Amino acid sequence: MTTTHRTDGGTDDPNDDGSRDPGPGGPDAPDASGAGASPGDGDGELSREEADELIEEIERRRSLQGTAAVAVAAVGILFSIFQLFLAARSFTFTVWLPTVEFAGISLAPWQVSLQLLQANAIHVAFALVLTFLLFPGSMGDGIVSRNLGRIVPAISRQFGESNPLTRLATSVRSAFRWAFLDPDRERVTPFDLLCIAAAILSALYFLTEFSEIQNMRVFGIDSGRPVTEVFAFLQPLLGGVPFVSEYSYAMILGVTGVLLVLEATRRTLGLPLMIIVATFIVYARWGYLISSGTPFLGLLAIPELTWPDIVQNLWYNTENGVFGIPVTVSVSFIYIFILFGSFLEMSGAGQWFIDLAYALTGGRKGGPAKASILASGFMGTISGSSIANTVTTGAFTIPLMKRSGYSPEFSGAVESSASSGGQILPPVMGAAAFLMVQYTATPFADIIILSTIPAIVFFFGVWVMVHLKAVEEGIGGVSDEDTVSFWSHLQRGWFYLVPIGLLLYYLIIERLSVSRSAWFTLVALVALIAFIAAYSEETRVRLFGILAAIVGLNLASHVLAGVPLTGLVTGSGGAGLPIADAVSAVSAGIEWYVMLAGALTLLSKPDLDATLLELNPTIQDTATDLGERTDRDLGDSQPFKLGTFVVKSMDEGARTAVPVVIAVAAAGIIPGVISVSGLGPNLTSLLLALSGGSKVIMLLVTAVASIILGMGMPTTVTYIILISMLATPLVQFGIPLLAAHLYILYFGVIADITPPVAVAAYAASGVAKSDPFQTGVKAFSLSLNKAIVPFAFVFVPGIVLLRRKENAAELAIREQYRVVNFADLADLSYSVPEILIPVVGVFLGVIALGATVIGTLYTRVDRLGRTVFAFSSLLLMAPGMLSESVFDVLGLFGVSVSVNALLLDLALRAVGFVLFALFALRNRRTSEGEGDGAVGAGEPTGSAAVAADSEST
């Protein structure tokens, strides 16, 4: 299908600001149509290197070379290996080492058994080390740096350049710059090395002195040894210093650790979050000064806490604080899923998903934008970062959207809006799903079930809006040259779908733990890539022969000695197994045998051309670069590329995980303070008092707080902070616990595309070369349904498949709802009015909302139509919000209304449907009338042409 463009001379949507970018030569020029244009062509398109540079600039990461780059890679790989051991063996595992004895020194396999606090501490220490390597402390552009930079010029003007004082100040400034500043983001400073050393010392203390930490839980942090006792060589230097002898080494490390987390938070997530977390720490110490008699504010009064109490609870505790629930979730769930996403991305799945999206929708009306939505959704299943998803996917999709006729602002808005939706799309949901599992004690499969319908509604809503925009602008699809055949593309890369299918199978069908599911899926993914890399017409007989030999030998070893072949070789065999048990044992390790068969096949023919596999270009670049550094031709060696794929995936996974780990470590301090200070119940009482008993006001306060707090911050941080403060008050209003958590998550995600700090939208504007603020405004308007749907499911939990239990009155308020089952769906008296009708209403409401925002349905929608469509969308999606607001207003005048909530909900949805149907029919007749009144040789013009084009889609 050839791309079509609007030629009717109609007026652009006022939301579009007339900023369309049809390309050189106007809308009818070949370059503007996109026909024959390749992804690599076109004005403003980013290369992969440019996209990576843009991400580094937005996230303020260093571009290191030489030894520093090797150090980052080594630490990242070790981090991933550590987490893989935890995923495979939990906290007790064996590090394989060859048994060697030489010169009286023996080397043997190392048995490791960690406590949860130790594992969490090592996890955070790895993230801290990588943070101080990857993120500069200062680039000289901050408020402090700028003000300090004025001192030397002021002294020079006052005393002259040759004055000794000026020279001294200049020397001091040079020393400070050398120690702290990294303006070009390319070197590790001495201050960074000092922070790294402190982080390592802290982790070592958890590993070597855990018995002392356990004693501190009984006797307090002051019971620990002083630093001069731990390091005896410091006794002559520091033994007489009062401060050193007064506080224990554990106290010093705890204070240092908290400060390191705050500094890492400032570097990775920005100063605002660091200030918020630090404010809570200060509040824990001096919040007792608040008088309990002060109206409202007195509810924030807390008991007096000493610094040792605070530090012990924030640093040496797995229930709260830095190593509390959020970091535990990161250790157990989040990191392994980030690593899985990294392996999937490095395997080439990311580009394959983008191409699949274009194969599915590229030829449709507004095809490039629809493909962007699908591609971003696909990528959202393997990426938890709105910014990275926006830039990497947008580097390909945004230029095609621009060439098809969408404005730069609208193109960037579509990409950023859809990319932010990846954080609400199961199964990964930007790591928030795993936090919900832990905080609500809900099985992961249930989280996926209740999150699915709202996520589909969101992507459907964006789809509707880009379609209506295409109808308005007369935008068609991309040319056949820009897309591939769906079936041929599916046949070429079907194996990329296998890991995602396996993951869902393990999670939902087998109901394995999240970490075990991710581990099995990750191993299967590497085995699959090794197998596909080794498969060709030339090697397939050899490949299957090697696999059959490996399986046969291991089967025989189990039958004869009850152990795999490796165990038989090392002499650890015993009694044999029955054939059925042997087959079961071999089947359990089949992915390892497939991996080994693929690797051996590649070793036997290293120059094999893997025709079915297109690894991420980063793998080829890394392999070629390493070959050049070692003066060897490694770029075309398939075994080396496979090894590079594994190692690079672990490295990239660690780099991606660093901001997430720092975020959950910092955010854990806030619930830690709330817990240790006893603030929780008082905060709940305060919020309930401020809301005046109105559920709508409480929901609005939560929504605004989520958006404001989430601006410029990871969604996981927003989620952790707000559920600590707001989840309980929401549940007190009768909102189901899971719906309350999902509500907070949705508004935290909206912050990524809400001006003035719309980080995902601003990243998209960098790719689209568009106005950042306007891109943010359009992204927010495209995501409006994401702001209404949460109100819909908190008033009608059936939308997220939650049902009130029969004995709810006897249960605690947090336990009164459950996820529906097949029996509930078969009960039509329940499922039709409380699930089916509300869900259909939400989908219809999304269409009405699209007509409101875009201003087009079949043809232009006038002001009255937009008003009615807006009202009908509210009635169809969240009638409870309107009815509750009315009842609240009546309550202010002492009027009490008692109605059947279900009947009122259905009645209001019916009114909304009638209004939507009437005005949709009115708009269609207007479109047909414009077509009948067309001039010329029977050809429709103006908006009638647009409507006709819509009919043909």
Side-chain angles (χ1 to χ4, degrees):
M1 178 177 177
T2 303
T3 305
T4 58
H5 291 272
R6 185 177 183 184
T7 57
D8 62 335
T11 305
D12 286 331
D13 183 1
N15 286 330
D16 201 29
D17 300 326
S19 55
R20 291 181 58 206
D21 182 18
D28 296 318
D31 288 343
S33 70
S38 67
D41 300 327
D43 179 36
E45 182 156 349
L46 294 182
S47 66
R48 181 173 54 84
E49 292 77 11
E50 290 172 331
D52 291 341
E53 289 176 4
L54 179 59
I55 294 175
E56 287 181 354
E57 182 178 348
I58 293 173
E59 297 182 342
R60 296 172 67 90
R61 290 178 183 251
R62 286 186 172 117
S63 299
L64 298 174
Q65 303 293 329
T67 305
V70 174
V72 170
V75 174
I77 293 167
L78 285 174
F79 194 5
S80 293
I81 291 174
F82 171 71
Q83 290 297 142
L84 287 173
F85 271 113
L86 294 186
R89 303 294 182 186
S90 190
F91 293 153
T92 300
F93 54 87
T94 301
V95 179
W96 184 86
L97 294 171
T99 302
V100 177
E101 186 168 345
F102 179 75
I105 300 175
S106 61
L107 187 67
W110 181 24
Q111 184 77 19
V112 178
S113 182
L114 299 174
Q115 298 296 320
L116 177 60
L117 181 58
Q118 292 174 309
N120 289 5
I122 296 172
H123 184 76
V124 172
F126 267 119
L128 289 173
V129 170
L130 284 174
T131 296
F132 298 127
L133 287 172
L134 287 172
F135 295 87
S138 175
M139 296 172 58
D141 55 357
I143 296 176
V144 175
S145 298
R146 290 199 304 269
N147 284 303
L148 290 177
R150 297 190 181 102
I151 295 176
V152 173
I155 294 175
S156 177
R157 288 192 300 269
Q158 181 70 27
F159 299 101
E161 293 184 3
S162 59
N163 187 280
L165 184 61
T166 303
R167 291 199 300 269
L168 176 62
T170 302
S171 300
V172 172
R173 179 180 65 179
S174 299
F176 266 86
R177 286 179 173 176
W178 171 76
F180 295 100
L181 292 188
D182 179 22
D184 299 320
R185 293 185 287 117
E186 61 183 15
R187 75 181 186 95
V188 179
T189 66
F191 178 65
D192 297 326
L193 296 177
L194 180 63
C195 291
I196 290 171
I200 294 174
L201 271 180
S202 176
L204 288 175
Y205 180 73
F206 279 98
L207 289 176
T208 60
E209 305 294 340
F210 192 70
S211 58
E212 183 172 284
I213 295 174
Q214 289 178 312
N215 290 333
M216 289 189 314
R217 296 180 179 178
V218 179
F219 301 106
I221 197 172
D222 292 332
S223 64
R225 295 169 299 163
V227 66
T228 52
E229 186 176 334
V230 177
F231 301 104
F233 66 90
L234 294 176
Q235 178 65 36
L237 297 174
L238 304 176
V241 179
F243 178 85
V244 174
S245 59
E246 181 181 353
Y247 293 104
S248 65
Y249 180 54
M251 177 68 180
I252 294 173
L253 283 182
V255 172
T256 303
V258 172
L259 292 176
L260 288 177
V261 170
L262 291 176
E263 169 63 7
T265 302
R266 183 187 68 83
R267 296 190 185 199
T268 57
L269 307 170
L271 186 62
L273 179 58
M274 190 210 79
I275 293 175
I276 291 173
V277 175
T279 301
F280 269 84
I281 296 175
V282 172
Y283 168 76
R285 178 65 183 87
W286 287 292
Y288 72 93
L289 297 176
I290 299 175
S291 173
S292 58
T294 306
F296 287 112
L297 193 61
L299 291 173
L300 299 179
I302 59 175
E304 182 176 1
L305 298 171
T306 63
W307 282 122
D309 293 333
I310 296 170
V311 172
Q312 181 171 343
N313 280 279
L314 294 185
W315 192 250
Y316 296 103
N317 193 348
T318 55
E319 297 177 2
N320 301 291
V322 171
F323 305 123
I325 290 177
V327 167
T328 300
V329 173
S330 180
V331 171
S332 303
F333 309 144
I334 296 176
Y335 192 100
I336 191 67
F337 267 88
I338 290 175
L339 198 57
F340 167 69
S342 176
F343 270 87
L344 199 57
E345 171 65 18
M346 289 297 110
S347 71
Q351 187 60 48
W352 185 83
F353 278 130
I354 293 175
D355 293 338
L356 178 66
Y358 275 89
L360 285 169
T361 65
R364 296 175 178 269
K365 181 178 294 296
K370 294 176 180 176
S372 173
I373 296 169
L374 284 183
S376 299
F378 287 145
M379 291 293 289
T381 64
I382 60 176
S383 170
S385 169
S386 296
I387 295 175
N389 199 2
T390 297
V391 175
T392 53
T393 310
F396 183 86
T397 61
I398 289 175
L400 286 179
M401 281 190 276
K402 290 170 62 178
R403 287 202 296 272
S404 70
Y406 289 107
S407 73
E409 284 75 18
F410 193 86
S411 301
V414 170
E415 179 57 48
S416 58
S417 181
S419 292
S420 70
Q423 296 187 82
I424 59 173
L425 182 67
V428 178
M429 296 174 63
F434 313 122
L435 291 166
M436 290 179 67
V437 167
Q438 198 76 4
Y439 276 112
T440 63
T442 303
F444 189 81
D446 290 349
I447 299 294
I448 292 177
I449 291 171
L450 72 93
S451 304
T452 298
I453 291 179
I456 294 174
V457 169
F458 166 70
F459 282 99
F460 175 73
V462 181
W463 180 288
V464 166
M465 292 196 188
V466 300
H467 176 77
L468 296 180
K469 189 68 173 178
V471 170
E472 180 184 76
E473 300 287 351
I475 299 172
V478 295
S479 63
D480 293 338
E481 291 85 352
D482 286 335
T483 60
V484 294
S485 167
F486 171 74
W487 289 111
S488 64
H489 186 66
L490 190 62
Q491 290 171 358
R492 180 176 179 80
W494 58 269
F495 51 86
Y496 287 125
L497 297 173
V498 172
I500 297 176
L502 272 177
L503 177 63
L504 295 176
Y505 170 78
Y506 288 134
L507 287 171
I508 298 176
I509 306 300
E510 291 292 330
R511 287 188 175 266
L512 299 179
S513 68
V514 177
S515 58
R516 297 298 288 168
S517 299
W519 163 250
F520 288 143
T521 306
L522 188 57
V523 173
L525 171 60
V526 177
L528 185 65
I529 296 304
F531 188 87
I532 296 298
Y535 182 89
S536 71
E537 294 289 335
E538 181 182 358
T539 60
R540 60 182 180 181
V541 175
R542 184 186 316 179
L543 175 62
F544 283 105
I546 292 174
L547 178 60
I550 293 173
V551 172
L553 289 173
N554 275 279
L555 182 62
S557 178
H558 277 92
V559 171
L560 294 174
V563 294
L565 186 61
T566 54
L568 186 63
V569 170
T570 57
S572 60
L577 297 176
I579 186 66
D581 293 341
V583 170
S584 177
V586 170
S587 300
I590 189 65
E591 65 271 15
W592 294 102
Y593 304 144
V594 171
M595 192 187 307
L596 179 60
L600 291 175
T601 303
L602 289 175
L603 287 172
S604 69
K605 191 170 180 57
D607 58 345
L608 177 68
D609 182 18
T611 55
L612 291 178
L613 186 64
E614 293 184 8
L615 295 172
N616 189 293
T618 303
I619 304 301
Q620 181 66 54
D621 293 347
T622 303
T624 302
D625 181 62
L626 290 174
E628 292 175 352
R629 291 175 182 271
T630 56
D631 293 326
R632 299 177 63 184
D633 186 15
L634 299 175
D636 295 325
S637 172
Q638 288 297 334
F640 187 77
K641 287 170 65 176
L642 180 63
T644 304
F645 157 70
V646 174
V647 173
K648 188 64 178 175
S649 297
M650 291 194 289
D651 179 27
E652 290 296 324
R655 292 169 187 258
T656 302
V658 166
V660 179
V661 177
I662 296 300
V664 296
I669 291 176
I670 294 177
V673 169
I674 292 175
S675 175
V676 71
S677 65
L679 175 64
N682 290 349
L683 187 61
T684 299
S685 300
L686 175 62
L687 292 171
L688 292 174
L690 290 175
S691 67
S694 170
K695 181 189 293 187
V696 175
I697 292 178
M698 188 66 217
L699 289 171
L700 290 174
V701 167
T702 303
V704 173
S706 301
I707 292 175
I708 292 176
L709 188 62
M711 289 182 179
M713 295 186 193
T715 304
T716 48
V717 176
T718 308
Y719 172 78
I720 293 169
I721 294 174
L722 288 177
I723 61 153
S724 303
M725 297 188 294
L726 300 176
T728 301
L730 288 176
V731 172
Q732 293 293 329
F733 275 102
I735 296 172
L737 177 65
L738 291 171
H741 279 247
L742 200 62
Y743 178 90
I744 290 172
L745 173 64
Y746 265 62
F747 280 100
V749 170
I750 291 174
D752 281 352
I753 42 87
T754 303
V757 191
V759 288
Y762 291 171
S765 72
V767 180
K769 305 296 190 293
S770 61
D771 178 83
F773 185 79
Q774 288 300 321
T775 303
V777 171
K778 293 183 189 304
F780 180 77
S781 65
L782 289 175
S783 299
L784 268 180
N785 76 82
K786 199 191 296 179
I788 300 178
V789 168
F791 285 95
F793 63 65
V794 296
F795 283 108
V796 183
I799 294 175
V800 287
L801 303 181
L802 291 176
R803 184 176 187 179
R804 187 177 174 86
K805 296 177 181 178
E806 292 78 4
N807 61 336
E810 305 170 5
L811 300 174
I813 194 168
R814 296 168 63 92
E815 303 173 1
Q816 293 180 350
Y817 286 83
R818 59 175 174 82
V819 176
V820 301
N821 52 37
F822 287 108
D824 296 318
L825 297 177
D827 181 6
L828 298 183
S829 63
Y830 162 75
S831 61
V832 170
E834 297 198 40
I835 297 179
L836 181 61
I837 292 178
V839 169
V840 171
V842 168
F843 276 96
L844 290 176
V846 162
I847 299 175
L849 184 63
T852 303
V853 173
I854 302 300
T856 297
L857 192 58
Y858 296 99
T859 186
R860 283 284 184 176
V861 179
D862 56 22
R863 290 185 177 180
L864 175 62
R866 280 193 172 192
T867 302
V868 173
F869 278 130
F871 185 60
S872 67
S873 70
L874 181 61
L875 290 177
L876 285 166
M877 296 174 73
M881 183 180 178
L882 181 62
S883 60
E884 287 277 352
S885 300
V886 172
F887 294 155
D888 289 341
V889 173
L890 292 176
L892 294 176
F893 297 96
V895 178
S896 178
V897 180
S898 178
V899 296
N900 186 299
L902 179 59
L903 291 179
L904 179 62
D905 181 86
L906 295 176
L908 292 176
R909 291 184 195 275
V911 172
F913 175 74
V914 170
L915 290 174
F916 171 73
L918 289 176
F919 274 77
L921 181 62
R922 173 178 179 262
N923 185 261
R924 184 182 180 93
R925 288 178 176 174
T926 301
S927 171
E928 292 171 350
E930 291 173 349
D932 293 339
V935 294
E939 293 292 331
T941 61
S943 55
V946 176
D949 195 17
S950 175
E951 292 293 321
S952 65
T953 301

